[in-house]
Amino acid sequence: MILKRLKMTRIISSSRLLLLVGTALCLFIQDVAAFGVPAVQKQQQQCSSRTQPLGFASSTVQAQPPPYPVRITVMGGGNFGLALATICARNGMPTTLLVRNKEIADYINTKHQHPKYMANFTFPKRIRATSDPKECLPDATYIIHAVPCQYSRQFLTSVASYIPPGTPVLSVSKGIETTSLGFMADILKDCLGDQRAYAFLSGPSFAREICEGVATGVVIASEDLDLARDLATLLSDGNFRCFISKDVVGVEIGGAVKNVIAIAAGMCEGLGLGTNAMSGLVTRGCGEMRRLGLTFGARSSTISGLSGTYCINIYSLPKREVRLGDGIIFHVFIFILCICRCW
């Protein structure tokens, strides 16, 4: 009797759920029939025009091509600089890659490949490389900074005289400078001034997968939301999706600290401490990242978003940092073994 009653209860509950769904669907159809498709579109426009101060706004709402020719300069010929240059070139923008020496620039221009990075990958022919900042910086519409954080200050100081005062800069470099303990926003303002607009990109994005066209989502943060929208529109395509935010501090802290947690997780794996220890370390590390962000004025939602604790799932930790942490443990073990032998 009890089993029969349970079965009847489930059947009644399922019937009620289907009835509610059907009623809602009928009301929606009646609404569309009564007010027409323009009313629905108007409602969508009203929803899309609302500000979202605590979340990310989509970059694809009312995306319009810029009314002027866009020229992109990417400073830095590493993996991520090559990936961003590839995105810009695929979207039809003339893109110049500023590299360190002329030999690498000639190699990229002739073979459309890099002699060291992105092995066996052919870059779009719209990418042109140069080692002379005078050729690519003065007439650039947007500049993408992809030089590693610890070398950014010296590099930016050397090219600052070639960058016009009003040219916006998008930084894709992540980290905290060891000498000043400053973020990329601090370095850029110190070297290029605080009168121009800056934006900062972060998110779970491996350079190789970006070049190969794998679906990727990132966030662009800027105090100037118009700049963030423009950059998101220029960079987004069918596989590379950009969201926007005003929380620059949160995006920078998430981009810098998450890799430290991933390296520590790799050290756990190298020591053979097991999944329990790695889970505890990652969870507590993400909590510290959140507290650090809140101390600097970041939003909690940013730290837990694309730029931050996406690595809380230990099965999707950044493999490069995990391997690095594992390799650190291995080399430390070899070093200690050698000392013991010498002793």
Side-chain angles (χ1 to χ4, degrees):
M1 290 295 294
I2 296 176
L3 291 176
K4 288 184 179 180
R5 288 181 180 178
L6 287 175
K7 290 180 180 179
M8 289 297 297
T9 303
R10 290 178 181 175
I11 292 172
I12 293 172
S13 300
S14 301
S15 302
R16 289 177 178 175
L17 179 61
L18 291 174
L19 181 61
L20 289 174
V21 172
T23 304
L25 184 60
C26 291
L27 291 174
F28 176 77
I29 294 173
Q30 290 176 1
D31 186 33
V32 173
F35 295 99
V37 177
V40 178
Q41 292 178 350
K42 183 178 180 181
Q43 183 180 6
Q44 292 176 350
Q45 292 174 359
Q46 291 175 354
C47 292
S48 64
S49 63
R50 296 172 185 169
T51 57
Q52 299 178 357
L54 297 181
F56 298 132
S58 174
S59 66
T60 57
V61 177
Q62 298 179 351
Q64 297 292 335
Y68 48 84
V70 175
R71 292 178 296 276
I72 305 294
T73 294
V74 179
M75 300 189 301
N79 280 322
F80 212 73
L82 292 168
L84 267 294
T86 301
I87 286 290
C88 295
R90 283 178 179 169
N91 290 347
M93 292 172 283
T95 305
T96 305
L97 190 68
L98 181 59
V99 296
R100 285 183 293 181
N101 56 68
K102 189 176 183 300
E103 290 75 15
I104 293 179
D106 294 338
Y107 191 96
I108 295 174
N109 291 332
T110 55
K111 298 187 177 181
H112 303 290
Q113 292 182 341
H114 196 283
K116 182 178 178 181
Y117 303 114
M118 298 291 180
N120 302 323
F121 183 83
T122 301
F123 299 105
K125 294 183 179 180
R126 286 184 180 270
I127 297 177
R128 184 181 66 87
T130 182
S131 59
D132 188 358
K134 292 182 292 186
E135 294 183 7
C136 58
L137 293 177
D139 64 342
T141 311
Y142 298 100
I143 294 176
I144 299 177
H145 177 77
V147 177
C149 176
Q150 307 307 326
Y151 304 98
S152 289
R153 187 178 294 273
Q154 180 181 358
F155 173 81
L156 289 171
T157 303
S158 65
V159 301
S161 59
Y162 303 108
I163 303 177
T167 305
V169 177
L170 169 65
S171 174
V172 298
S173 304
K174 307 176 186 70
I176 301 173
E177 192 178 32
T178 55
T179 54
S180 66
L181 299 181
F183 297 106
M184 283 304 307
D186 303 315
I187 300 173
L188 287 168
K189 290 179 181 179
D190 288 345
C191 298
L192 303 181
D194 57 358
Q195 299 302 316
R196 74 176 72 243
Y198 297 99
F200 304 87
L201 183 147
S202 184
S205 50
F206 293 102
R208 183 84 189 191
E209 294 187 1
I210 293 176
C211 291
E212 292 174 350
V214 178
T216 304
V218 297
V219 57
I220 297 177
S222 177
E223 296 176 358
D224 184 354
L225 272 183
D226 291 332
L227 172 63
R229 290 192 184 97
D230 290 343
L231 290 170
T233 301
L234 292 174
L235 296 178
S236 296
D237 58 18
N239 297 318
F240 192 77
R241 180 72 176 272
C242 298
F243 299 86
I244 62 174
S245 172
K246 290 191 68 174
D247 190 4
V248 173
V249 176
V251 168
E252 287 228 78
I253 289 178
V257 180
K258 65 180 175 55
N259 291 335
V260 179
I261 299 175
I263 292 172
M267 297 174 74
C268 279
E269 184 175 346
L271 290 170
L273 298 180
T275 305
N276 293 344
M278 186 186 295
S279 301
L281 183 143
V282 170
T283 303
R284 296 297 299 173
C286 290
E288 288 188 15
M289 187 195 310
R290 177 179 172 276
R291 289 192 293 273
L292 179 65
L294 294 177
T295 301
F296 278 90
R299 298 191 183 107
S300 178
S301 58
T302 305
I303 301 297
S304 61
L306 284 172
S307 62
T309 58
Y310 73 91
C311 62
I312 193 169
N313 182 353
I314 62 174
Y315 297 105
S316 62
L317 283 169
K319 298 179 177 59
R320 179 183 60 185
E321 285 78 7
V322 171
R323 289 198 303 268
L324 174 61
D326 196 355
I328 289 174
I329 291 298
F330 175 76
H331 287 94
V332 169
F333 174 76
I334 296 298
F335 178 72
I336 295 175
L337 184 62
C338 292
I339 292 178
C340 292
R341 282 180 175 270
C342 294
W343 186 266

